[in-house]
Amino acid sequence: MMEFDLRYYLPSLLHVEDRVSMAFSIETRLPFLDHRLAEYAASIPFYYKLNPRRYKYILRNGVKDILPRGIYQRQDKLGFPTPYGIWAKDPGFTKKAASLFPGNFHEIFRLTPTIPWRVLNAGVWLKCFQVTL
């Protein structure tokens, strides 16, 4: 999986990072992309890389003597969550989404908000590019 990420996923992430940073005149640094660190990470056995109770386990242990405890033990980092609940209450959004779903859209969205969102995205993409299945 790591090889797949390095070969296919990382280039697209770097492209987006480069475009966004340039668009907002922000100088960015990517210290974890140093080839020596990437090679070392690739050499670590798989079973050390996963800890079901702790994300970024190896990184957190590596910095625990350098950073304050409140930083390396942080649990609240979520990235950019999608506000499905807010969108589900918006009449314009739900009307558009319901037009792409057969059956009771509101019940589907209430039970599993992420699945309809993904289907909605696919439906909009197919419609924009006039793809028929």
Side-chain angles (χ1 to χ4, degrees):
M1 191 65 191
M2 188 173 182
E3 181 181 349
F4 177 86
D5 283 346
L6 286 171
R7 192 173 295 222
Y8 300 104
Y9 186 52
L10 183 63
S12 63
L13 285 178
L14 293 175
H15 178 76
V16 170
E17 182 277 332
D18 187 50
R19 301 278 300 209
V20 171
S21 65
M22 287 192 301
F24 293 93
S25 299
I26 297 172
E27 179 73 24
T28 59
R29 299 278 188 255
L30 305 166
F32 293 122
L33 288 183
D34 182 276
H35 73 91
R36 294 165 294 203
L37 184 58
E39 290 165 2
Y40 175 70
S43 74
I44 297 172
F46 178 73
Y47 53 87
Y48 285 127
K49 294 179 185 179
L50 293 179
N51 184 321
R53 294 175 299 231
R54 197 76 166 141
Y55 292 112
K56 301 179 184 177
Y57 181 74
I58 294 172
L59 177 61
R60 287 176 187 272
N61 276 344
V63 299
K64 72 180 183 182
D65 294 333
I66 302 169
L67 295 177
R69 185 181 188 124
I71 292 175
Y72 81 84
Q73 286 192 337
R74 229 178 115 180
Q75 298 279 332
D76 61 342
K77 187 173 179 182
L78 296 175
F80 300 104
T82 306
Y84 304 114
I86 295 169
W87 292 349
K89 295 174 186 170
D90 180 305
F93 175 80
T94 55
K95 182 179 177 186
K96 180 68 176 172
S99 72
L100 296 169
F101 285 96
N104 188 345
F105 164 75
H106 295 288
E107 186 64 14
I108 295 169
F109 205 102
R110 186 181 69 74
L111 294 173
T112 57
T114 59
I115 293 170
W117 170 245
R118 291 176 185 149
V119 173
L120 176 63
N121 273 303
V124 170
W125 186 89
L126 292 169
K127 199 169 191 175
C128 283
F129 293 98
Q130 300 175 351
V131 176
T132 55
L133 300 175

